[in-house]
Amino acid sequence: MSANDNPVAIDLMPFIDSLRGAREFLRIWATEDGRLNCFVNPRGLGADPALFGVALRDSMTHAAAAWSRATGIPEDEALARIREGFDQDADTPTNDLPPPVVVARKDH
């Protein structure tokens, strides 16, 4: 990977006020070949894994809105495609998850 190929983080500075008191719990990076690298910190959400499901559902609607603004397709169509991909992966899950699984240390 050359210096020009470094991943570019999403600029959160315009949203700093809405992030006060918030905790990061998920980062996802996509490679050119479609592999995803997911880093999850469960402590950011709480003890119940169901909260992660709620966060995923909320992120799907936020993503649909973003796709709509970026591409001009209607939000409902974008959400339908997102759900289609979600359901497709549920039917044939990814089995080649990259090690290691990253978990936040207890003191973080």
Side-chain angles (χ1 to χ4, degrees):
M1 178 179 275
S2 73
N4 293 334
D5 293 335
N6 289 335
V8 177
I10 296 171
D11 181 11
L12 298 177
M13 290 309 294
F15 312 101
I16 197 72
D17 288 337
S18 65
L19 295 176
R20 294 198 196 289
R23 293 166 290 182
E24 182 177 56
F25 64 91
L26 174 65
R27 283 191 190 189
I28 301 175
W29 293 90
T31 63
E32 285 187 26
D33 65 359
R35 280 183 69 86
L36 297 179
N37 292 294
C38 302
F39 303 92
V40 178
N41 179 355
R43 294 176 55 87
L45 284 173
D48 187 352
L51 295 171
F52 191 75
V54 172
L56 288 177
R57 176 62 178 89
D58 285 350
S59 67
M60 289 169 61
T61 58
H62 287 283
W67 249 278
S68 178
R69 283 188 290 262
T71 66
I73 64 173
E75 279 187 45
D76 60 337
E77 287 182 28
L79 184 57
R81 289 290 293 150
I82 291 168
R83 285 183 176 167
E84 185 178 319
F86 186 88
D87 292 343
Q88 181 181 2
D89 193 64
D91 292 341
T92 55
T94 306
N95 292 323
D96 59 342
L97 297 175
V101 173
V102 177
V103 179
R105 293 192 326 244
K106 203 172 192 179
D107 58 345
H108 284 167

